[in-house]
Amino acid sequence: MTALAVVLAVAVTGLTLHTLVNATRWLRRPPAAPAPVDETVAVLLPLRDEAARLAPCLTSLLAQRGVARLEIVVLDDNSTDGTADAVRAVAGTDPRVRLLTGAPLPDGWLGKPYACHQLAGHVSPEANVLVFVDADVVLAPHAVAASVAALRDASADLLTPYPRILAGSAGERLVQPLLQWSWLTFLPLRAMERSPRPSLAAAGGQLLVVDRAGYDRAGGHAAVRDRVLEDIELGRAVKRSGGRIALADGSALATCRMYTSWRELAAGYTKSMWASFGSPAGAAAVVVTLLALYAVPPVLGLAAAASGRYGVALACAAAWLAGVAGRVVTARATGGRAFPDALAHPVSVVLFGWLILRSYDLRRRRQLSWRGRPVS
């Protein structure tokens, strides 16, 4: 038992050291004071039933600085809540904004890829950078200019400047930080940039910056028309076409509150988690590994301490603290909350595992949907 506890402590410590290296050496950081952009940039905003929360996002887009040739293309994707009227109320007569009405969803397409596909098809020929933004993202005034600078500095075709994720409810605070923690802990960032392997890819659709030529070469969103995780799949398509992708810390550029309750969060994760691991067997292996590394040590340690096996308890405490340290490093690197949230990392991992299992179960029963549309 002592040997097992030591192995767990060593494994978690190794992963946390990898998190530290990624966060301090390999994670790209866009410039705080970017030079003016001399390219034409198109910001693309897909909306479906977002009337209640689009105003901060669109207002922040209209306030962008350092991009002289900026166009903002908004698509109302068959909303039923007055989204188009809300867009007009915010944009007024600003000539940079064009509002499109989405076409009916064709067979073989999911909603988000088709909305982005339509947006890209209405961009002016002069635009050579596309910036896809979700309605729950609020940008700093220099965000677009800094994102374009980071894309060019990385010599990449696709860049994700990951926003600072806001979390209000207890469920959000437990689960949402795992987004950044997972790729900082398990993904070798610099190898991801250099490797041509499509399987070694990460991206986030909340704020996605692409070189237009690279986007077209990869097939655009038509290449990922039926993919639930269209952002990651687009990154893989870029790699398959010979392009490069990169991640950056966008916490100084944008904020994003993806969900406003546990119910929303559970529905959002459940609709897509099944697509993250390739197969049920792969998902099961991931869940078992995460639980063994991050949830078992505190339980085992408490049981060992209660029975007087203090060596085992000490090793388990070391494993738990190493996991907590990984969360703290991630929070410091991406603008998140470190304490006391990081102390509950084992609970976060358990909830994450449950969401994965729930996703597969609902998919098996063909009950997955999002915004009124079936997902699978």
Side-chain angles (χ1 to χ4, degrees):
M1 190 68 73
T2 302
L4 173 62
V6 170
V7 167
L8 291 175
V10 170
V12 176
T13 300
L15 287 169
T16 294
L17 290 174
H18 182 254
T19 308
L20 182 64
V21 171
N22 264 340
T24 57
R25 295 196 59 186
W26 304 129
L27 182 59
R28 293 184 178 275
R29 302 191 184 280
V37 174
D38 60 1
E39 304 179 73
T40 300
V41 180
V43 178
L44 309 180
L45 178 61
L47 301 172
R48 180 172 171 83
D49 293 334
E50 301 282 10
R53 63 176 180 176
L54 68 83
C57 175
L58 186 52
T59 300
S60 71
L61 293 177
L62 296 172
Q64 290 302 297
R65 299 197 298 261
V67 186
R69 298 190 299 276
L70 176 70
E71 58 182 270
I72 301 169
V73 189
V74 183
L75 183 128
D76 176 23
D77 184 15
N78 298 283
S79 299
T80 60
D81 67 344
T83 288
D85 291 334
V87 171
R88 296 186 189 99
V90 174
T93 59
D94 195 308
R96 296 172 296 173
V97 180
R98 279 187 291 143
L99 175 61
L100 310 175
T101 300
L105 186 64
D107 291 340
W109 285 81
L110 292 179
K112 177 75 176 288
Y114 189 53
C116 292
H117 172 74
Q118 292 177 82
L119 284 164
H122 284 84
V123 168
S124 68
E126 294 78 21
N128 49 12
V129 179
L130 309 180
V131 181
F132 293 93
V133 181
D134 281 352
D136 47 18
V137 174
V138 179
L139 283 76
H142 66 292
V144 171
S147 296
V148 174
L151 175 77
R152 298 312 187 197
D153 181 66
S155 299
D157 297 279
L158 180 149
L159 172 79
T160 298
Y162 217 94
R164 180 165 64 91
I165 301 298
L166 304 180
S169 66
E172 295 170 76
R173 289 172 61 180
L174 284 169
V175 174
Q176 288 293 75
L178 297 181
L179 292 172
Q180 296 100 323
W181 170 81
S182 60
W183 50 259
L184 278 176
T185 299
F186 298 103
L187 184 66
L189 292 184
R190 192 49 56 93
M192 182 201 74
E193 291 187 15
R194 294 173 177 172
S195 171
R197 292 174 53 193
S199 59
L200 197 60
Q206 293 90 359
L207 179 58
L208 196 64
V209 186
V210 295
D211 175 79
R212 188 176 187 178
Y215 176 81
D216 291 340
R217 189 168 55 247
H221 278 85
V224 298
R225 66 186 67 191
D226 59 350
R227 303 297 180 175
V228 176
L229 297 174
E230 86 291 333
D231 44 12
I232 296 175
E233 294 296 339
L234 183 60
R236 289 172 177 164
V238 167
K239 282 198 167 191
R240 281 193 291 268
S241 67
R244 293 188 60 185
I245 69 174
L247 282 170
D249 168 35
S251 60
L253 306 184
T255 60
C256 175
R257 187 173 182 186
M258 296 172 62
Y259 309 108
T260 58
S261 67
W262 170 253
R263 183 175 181 177
E264 271 191 16
L265 183 149
Y269 274 73
T270 298
K271 75 172 170 57
S272 59
M273 291 304 299
W274 65 269
S276 301
F277 305 103
S279 68
V286 169
V287 171
V288 169
T289 300
L290 289 175
L291 292 176
L293 291 173
Y294 296 102
V296 167
V299 175
L300 182 61
L302 289 173
S307 61
R309 305 180 68 175
Y310 299 114
V312 174
L314 185 61
C316 288
W320 169 64
L321 289 173
V324 169
R327 280 283 298 273
V328 171
V329 169
T330 299
R332 300 296 189 211
T334 60
R337 187 199 311 257
F339 292 105
D341 303 40
L343 298 173
H345 188 55
V347 179
S348 298
V349 170
V350 170
L351 286 174
F352 187 66
W354 176 79
L355 289 168
I356 294 172
L357 296 177
R358 182 172 185 261
S359 180
Y360 275 97
D361 178 56
L362 291 182
R363 182 172 186 259
R364 179 182 59 82
R365 292 191 274 150
R366 298 183 178 276
Q367 294 182 5
L368 290 179
S369 65
W370 185 247
R371 300 288 172 87
R373 289 168 169 163
V375 172
S376 63

